[in-house]
Every structure is written in structure tokens, then in C-alpha cells.
Amino acid sequence: MSKQKPQQFATAAIHAGEIHDEQGAHIAPIYQTSTFIFENMAAVEAYKNEETDGHIYSRGSHPNRAALAEKLATLEGYQLIQDACAAENNEPVVAAEIFSTGMAAISATLLGVAQAGDHVIAQDVLYGSSDHFVKEIMPQYGISTSRVKGMNPDALAQALADHPNTTGILLETPANPTMELVDIAAVVDVAHAHNTKVIVDNTFASPVLQRPLELGADVVLHSTTKYINGHGTLLGGAVISRDIPLMEEKIGMLIRYFGGVPSPFDCWLTNLGLKTLPLRMKQHSENGIQVAQYLEEQKKINFVHYPGLESFSQHELAKRQMDGFGGMIACEVAGGYEGATQFLDRLELCSLAVSLGNVDTLIEHPASMTHGDITPEIRAETGISDGLIRLSVGLEAAEDIIADLDQALR
Ligand SMILES: *Cc1c(COP(=O)(O)O)cnc(C)c1O
């Protein structure tokens, strides 16, 4: 639950939610404990009546998780909280919950928004495991799902008319791995006319570059494994929402009873990483455009998808919706699987690895790595070709990243 306090974004990234303990520790301790001691039964009663802020058992809540939740809520709900401050509204306007992985956050959200008999509409291109969850797992629990290409508003309106039992819409922008963008405000307009919640996976952009809640979305999801932590040391997930009843009655219950909670140490590390997120995203964006421009000029690269390029088909939407374009690039190497393999095998500085958003550059081959479970037909339909590679441009000097790509291409 975020306390409403006006602060600049970069200041909030460092100070929001910080724990100041009685020992005067500058950096929060790691509360590496499973349970919490109560002084006496009166303290137990006070806790039960919500008269104190304490914790009882770390699956329910623990200090490092609460601190991280507050920081992330403050960043994703930045403008909403500023507006609440200005209106002197002290009610919580944004809440967050932290999970052990991004998939724990995504599955809890989808099962919190939809029950047996309901319908969920998802974008056609999604992170591989989200795609599997929507396609294979949800129907096993009586929740039907369908897809809308690129979340086109007209097609979405049609899908909502076809499925009046739709309770949630899931989208990713930029989408993994194609970098396709979705106009969040346009989707919100259509969805809210049908009383349907809009869930945005904001992992690729982070709250520095894009804040879906400010554009009207109901729920934001993160794999905090990626940019939020930024250093590749853990797995984590987060749900941030302006729908306080949804958070309290559904998401809060699902994390407690499914039990996908994060460790104190992982929350502590993520909180530390988050402090430099504004600075990191700025440099990821500066390196991203340089690498994208370099790739665009290469004969052996068929196309480059990067929201910051003038040639990007959704560049106008990117400028309207985002505050910078980040470090994720998709491009197609000439020669299909063979061409991509030769290129990837020759890289020296850049690592061949899935995941993204780390300080170092990671490159992967979606068709055989992150999206290998998707059938070749659907891969072809959604633009995941055999020559497609996905780059997570790191914080090394851009010229060194480009030199490595260049020697591998030559
Ligand atoms: C990695 C990722 C996920 C899944 O997160 P995990 O932390 O691996 O469970 C979900 N969505 C996107 C866009 C991702 O990149």
C-alpha cells in the first residue's frame, strides 16, 4: 500500500518504501525469518484487528516484500499518486504484490480476474510461458481464451461482442519477442465499455518508459527478473493495480494460498536494483538506439524492430505512449536458421542466453529458445521467423557492443 507523498520519480525510486529500523542501519536489513514473535496475546489481537502493521508469517507478508511492493507501486502509479496527493486523498490509489517469479504473478492475476465460465482475450504474441498458460492451462480450469492480433481495437470490440463473458484482457507492449506495440489507451476505451479489466505486462518497458496505469489500464505485471532487478541474480514477479478490491480480495488471497511468495533476500536484492532503474533505463535506451541504427545499415540484417527507429511502423505510437525506447531489439538475420546460428556462434562479448534487462548484453534465438514450444505455423503467423534474434542491449559501451556484432556479422 503506497503512502501518498509527492516526490520526483528518480527520488521515489531510491527512497519510496525504504525501511528505517531502530538500529539506524542505512540499508534495510534482510528479514531472513519464517515467523514473527508477538509480545503477548494483546499484540495478537491488535494484529488481527489490523490495528498494527506487523507480520505474522512470511508467506502472508514480510518486511522486505512489503518495502519492495511499496516502491514498485509508487513508480508504476506515479502520476495517480501525485494526483491523489494534490487532491489530499489519503486512500490508497495503487497497490502492489510481489511474487517469486513473473509467471507466479501472471497466473495469479489471470486466475484472480477470471473464474470457471469466464473468458479471457489475449494478444496473439506473448512471452512463451504466458502463451502456454493462456492456451493450455486456463482452459483446464474452465476459463476459455481467445486471441486478437495486435489488440486491434475493432477486432477487440468484435471479440468482446462474441464473448460477452470476457472478464480480462492480457497484452504485452512491447511484445516479446517481436517488439510489436499495442495502443494501451485505445484498448482501455474498448475494454471498459464492456466492463472488462485490462492487464498489461510491462516487463519490456519498465515504469520508467511506460506507465500503463496512467493510461487507464487496471493491472500491470512484471517479471522483476528482468529490468526491475536488472542484474540477473534472481527470479521475481509483481502485480501492481489501481483496483484495490481486486488486490485485496483476489491477488492477495491467491499469493497466500498458492504460496508463490518471494524470499526476503530476493526482495532485498530487487529493491536494491530498482534504485538505479531510472539511470539504467536511460542508458539502455541510449545504447538501444545506437545498436538499432547500426543493425539497420547491415546488408545481412533483413529488418530491425526497435520502437525508437524512424522506420519502425509504430514509431508514432511509441513516441506517444513511451518516455524512451529501452534496450530490446528484434532483428532478422539473412539466411534463416543457418544465418542466425553462424552469427550467434561468433559473438564474443554478447552472451547467448535467454532472459533480458540485465546490465550486460544478452542475445537469444526465439524460435529455438524462448518460443520453441510454439508450433512452426503459429510462429510464422506471429512473425517469429527462423532468422529472428532478440537482443537485450546492456550497459557496456555501445561501441564495444557494436564491434562485437560487427565482427560476428562479418
Ligand atoms: C520473463 C518474462 C515473463 C516470465 O517471468 P519469469 O520471471 O521468468 O517467471 C513474463 N513476461 C515477460 C514479458 C517476460 O519477459
Side-chain angles (χ1 to χ4, degrees):
M1 238 21 92
S2 50
K3 289 192 201 75
Q4 282 129 33
K5 219 184 307 165
Q7 246 171 8
Q8 293 299 313
F9 191 87
T11 309
I14 292 170
H15 290 282
E18 286 299 301
I19 295 171
H20 298 290
D21 77 342
E22 286 132 36
Q23 308 287 331
H26 168 218
I27 296 299
I30 304 167
Y31 290 84
Q32 194 69 31
T33 181
S34 55
T35 191
F36 295 83
I37 299 171
F38 288 83
E39 191 92 14
N40 49 34
M41 283 302 288
V44 173
E45 281 307 307
Y47 172 79
K48 268 173 47 190
N49 298 332
E50 294 181 10
E51 289 157 14
T52 57
D53 275 347
H55 307 276
I56 182 166
Y57 184 59
S58 287
R59 176 155 48 76
S61 66
H62 61 69
N64 296 107
R65 182 168 139 203
L68 175 58
E70 181 166 338
K71 195 186 288 293
L72 209 41
T74 305
L75 298 182
E76 277 294 352
Y78 184 71
Q79 196 55 48
L80 303 178
I81 292 169
Q82 301 293 305
D83 294 348
C85 276
E88 294 184 9
N89 167 18
N90 285 319
E91 292 300 311
V93 289
V94 183
E97 188 53 271
I98 311 299
F99 289 77
S100 55
T101 65
M103 282 314 299
I106 291 169
S107 55
T109 299
L110 290 171
L111 296 179
V113 162
Q115 296 174 9
D118 293 339
H119 186 81
V120 165
I121 299 174
Q123 193 176 343
D124 55 335
V125 195
L126 287 178
Y127 174 72
S129 298
S130 304
D131 186 83
H132 183 89
F133 189 79
V134 166
K135 202 182 303 150
E136 309 290 341
I137 310 289
M138 290 175 70
Q140 294 175 25
Y141 294 87
I143 303 163
S144 60
T145 65
S146 60
R147 301 304 184 95
V148 168
K149 195 167 170 51
M151 281 291 158
N152 171 282
D154 294 332
L156 179 62
Q158 186 57 52
L160 283 162
D162 292 343
H163 303 281
N165 55 337
T166 305
T167 53
I169 291 170
L170 173 66
L171 63 97
E172 271 175 29
T173 180
N176 186 352
T178 58
M179 299 303 292
E180 183 179 39
L181 303 189
V182 173
D183 186 335
I184 298 170
V187 167
V188 166
D189 272 350
V190 177
H192 286 182
H194 286 77
N195 223 351
T196 302
K197 294 196 201 308
V198 177
I199 305 160
V200 180
D201 184 331
N202 203 29
T203 298
F204 270 35
S206 91
V208 176
L209 304 184
Q210 175 173 279
R211 290 186 295 282
L213 299 180
E214 293 173 5
L215 299 169
D218 301 278
V219 183
V220 168
L221 299 173
H222 274 285
S223 168
T224 57
T225 311
K226 317 290 168 56
Y227 285 107
I228 300 285
N229 175 51
H231 296 76
T233 50
L234 54 85
L235 300 182
V239 178
I240 308 102
S241 177
R242 57 194 298 168
D243 187 334
I244 306 298
L246 175 78
M247 292 304 289
E248 287 176 355
E249 292 156 27
K250 297 284 186 179
I251 307 300
M253 292 300 116
L254 287 166
I255 188 169
R256 173 178 304 235
Y257 296 111
F258 283 173
V261 300
S263 74
F265 184 46
D266 285 356
C267 291
W268 184 89
L269 278 175
T270 307
N271 190 64
L272 203 59
L274 197 41
K275 292 184 189 192
T276 55
L277 184 72
L279 196 58
R280 286 188 283 112
M281 292 316 292
K282 188 163 173 256
Q283 192 63 40
H284 280 300
S285 298
E286 280 178 23
N287 286 0
I289 187 70
Q290 288 192 49
V291 171
Q293 282 170 345
Y294 159 78
L295 288 169
E296 202 176 26
E297 285 161 12
Q298 305 311 308
K299 276 206 217 59
K300 289 180 189 157
I301 300 292
N302 295 338
F303 62 75
V304 181
H305 290 166
Y306 179 72
L309 286 176
E310 303 254 335
S311 62
F312 185 65
S313 63
Q314 295 172 299
H315 184 56
E316 288 308 312
L317 171 60
K319 284 196 288 189
R320 180 149 43 86
Q321 181 163 280
M322 303 175 76
D323 294 330
F325 309 113
M328 297 305 298
I329 300 173
C331 70
E332 189 180 68
V333 183
Y337 181 82
E338 271 307 308
T341 298
Q342 284 182 21
F343 171 66
L344 293 167
D345 282 351
R346 288 185 180 134
L347 291 168
E348 287 166 7
L349 179 71
C350 305
S351 303
L352 175 61
V354 300
S355 201
L356 58 106
N358 291 346
V359 293
D360 52 327
T361 300
L362 303 179
I363 302 189
E364 65 114 3
H365 184 249
S368 41
M369 296 170 84
T370 46
H371 293 70
D373 284 348
I374 297 174
T375 63
E377 296 74 41
I378 293 184
R379 283 208 302 267
E381 271 171 36
T382 51
I384 306 172
S385 65
D386 288 345
L388 192 77
I389 60 169
R390 189 191 76 183
L391 292 84
S392 169
V393 177
L395 304 180
E396 302 96 336
E399 58 195 314
D400 286 336
I401 302 169
I402 291 170
D404 191 35
L405 299 174
D406 198 57
Q407 63 80 20
L409 275 179
R410 275 185 289 110

